[in-house]
Amino acid sequence: MSIFALILLAFAMSTDAFAAAIGKGVKIKNPRFSFAIKVGFTFGLIEAITPVIGWIIGHAASSYVEAWDHWIALIILTGLGVYMVFESFQPAIDDESKTQKQSFILLCVTAFGTSIDAMAVGASLAFVDVNIMTASGLIGLATFLMVTTGIMLGSLMGSLIGKRAETFGGVILISVGMWIFTTHTL
């Protein structure tokens, strides 16, 4: 597999994390760039680890992971999206420190939900002549860049369209979950 193909694969794997980051960014009024980098790093690290896990599981479990990855992604992302839409209709809380210190566990669950497909990709890479460390590093780097950018863009969208931007972010997560599900079932 060429380096160009790996770079394309890396950015393809990061698009759902990018959409989730936009959804997360709309909830934050004025995120610090350092916060966006931390979120990007968390997503990038998880997105880099999952293909290695898939690669290790390899041939024996690839059909199992592939058979269920779309269901897992649908449930996690749709659940988080519905939660975000619900929260968007709750009264605003003026505690800005709360939005900057969002739950690390929720952040990791979101990152894992967007990286399940990368585990299946890692399993399929076990059968191709590819250096899994290079592939997972590129996937992690692309995800880091896309998520950091997504947080900042989401924040800009949030300031432009107000509280309902969180509704938009939730709809994005639900859409990404459904997109993953439909692309795996068709």
Side-chain angles (χ1 to χ4, degrees):
M1 189 173 238
S2 73
I3 191 72
F4 181 70
L6 285 177
I7 291 170
L8 288 178
L9 173 69
F11 279 100
M13 292 287 89
S14 67
T15 55
D16 50 352
F18 176 70
I22 289 176
K24 190 161 280 305
V26 297
K27 295 174 72 173
I28 304 168
K29 291 181 183 174
N30 296 310
R32 294 185 177 149
F33 189 63
S34 62
F35 175 76
I37 288 175
K38 288 176 189 175
V39 174
F41 179 78
T42 303
F43 270 74
L45 182 63
I46 291 172
E47 192 88 23
I49 291 171
T50 54
V52 174
I53 293 169
W55 186 81
I56 291 169
I57 293 170
H59 181 56
S62 66
S63 62
Y64 178 75
V65 171
E66 216 172 317
W68 293 98
D69 68 342
H70 54 284
W71 283 102
I72 296 167
L74 175 70
I75 290 167
I76 290 172
L77 295 176
T78 301
L80 290 170
V82 168
Y83 176 76
M84 282 179 66
V85 170
F86 175 76
E87 285 292 308
S88 73
F89 289 101
Q90 300 304 310
I93 298 173
D94 290 336
D95 184 9
E96 283 192 35
S97 65
K98 182 180 178 188
T99 58
Q100 289 290 336
K101 296 179 182 178
Q102 294 177 356
S103 168
F104 182 70
I105 293 172
L106 183 61
L107 179 69
C108 289
V109 168
T110 305
F112 182 72
T114 62
S115 68
I116 298 239
D117 56 342
M119 189 181 301
V121 167
S124 66
L125 290 177
F127 306 106
V128 183
D129 183 27
V130 66
N131 181 327
I132 191 60
M133 292 306 179
T134 301
S136 69
L138 287 171
I139 290 170
L141 179 61
T143 303
F144 166 75
L145 294 171
M146 296 284 280
V147 168
T148 302
T149 303
I151 292 286
M152 299 310 286
L153 285 176
S155 174
L156 177 64
M157 289 173 54
S159 66
L160 290 175
I161 60 176
K163 176 97 170 112
R164 293 300 167 231
E166 190 174 351
T167 305
F168 178 71
V171 171
I172 287 175
L173 281 181
I174 294 167
S175 300
V176 168
M178 290 182 174
W179 178 77
I180 291 169
F181 180 78
T182 56
T183 58
H184 281 80
T185 55
L186 294 179

